Structures are given as structure tokens and as C-alpha cells.
Amino acid sequence: MLPGEEAMDQQMKELQKLKGIGEVLSRRLVEASYDSIAKVAAAQEKGLERIAGMNPQKVRSIVIQARKMTGAAEKSRHTWVEVKSGG
């Protein structure tokens, strides 16, 4: 496997954490530059709908999931700030 292929494989695996995203859709997302859950969370729904196999309901579902996942990640990343300011 070439280095670029390995990176793409990792990105696809990350996107497959989203319910409804399998190998084919994850590859299409990566090829369309949506190569992380954060990018999916920040995406405009119209952009995602242009990807083959993505209907409006699926787009809404994965964007909501991605935003929840990145929101949770952001909160956990900054926990130490809250603890410091509270003490």
C-alpha cells in the first residue's frame, strides 16, 4: 500500500464511525475532500448532497452525528480549562 493510500484508508475508517457510512460512501467523501468527521460536521448540506449515494435524509443524519461527535470531542479537549477556572 502506498503512503497516500494508507492515509486515505485511515480517513475512510474514521468516516465509517458515522452510522450509514460504509466503505463506498466513505471513499466518495474522502475523494470529495470531506476526509474527516470535523469536515463533515462543518459541511454545507448541499455540498454533501452532490456526492453519489447521499440523499437529503442521509446527509442530515450524518451531519448531525458528526456535529455531536466533534462537539463532544471539543468539550472533552477543553475540560482542563473549566477545572482550572472553577478552582
Side-chain angles (χ1 to χ4, degrees), residues 4 9-11 14 18 26 34 41 43 46 48 53 57 82:
D9 198 47
Q10 288 300 108
Q11 294 163 337
E14 179 185 352
L18 297 166
S26 65
Y34 299 105
K46 291 288 179 210
L48 290 173
Q57 288 153 321
E82 293 168 25

Side-chain angles (χ1 to χ4, degrees), residues 5-76:
E5 289 174 349
E6 195 172 309
M8 185 175 193
D9 198 47
Q10 288 300 108
Q11 294 163 337
M12 287 170 57
K13 277 187 174 52
E14 179 185 352
L15 293 172
Q16 288 171 28
K17 293 176 186 174
L18 297 166
K19 187 178 176 213
I21 301 298
E23 191 171 333
V24 172
L25 277 178
S26 65
R27 179 176 300 278
R28 289 178 184 161
L29 284 164
V30 170
E31 288 171 349
S33 298
Y34 299 105
D35 55 8
S36 69
I37 289 175
K39 286 184 182 177
V40 171
Q44 297 294 318
E45 289 185 16
K46 291 288 179 210
L48 290 173
E49 286 174 7
R50 290 190 195 112
I51 297 169
M54 297 287 274
N55 62 48
Q57 288 153 321
K58 181 170 282 206
V59 168
R60 247 186 312 279
S61 169
I62 67 161
V63 168
I64 289 167
Q65 288 178 69
R67 288 178 181 167
K68 284 181 182 173
M69 289 170 88
T70 55
E74 287 301 310
K75 285 178 195 156
S76 68

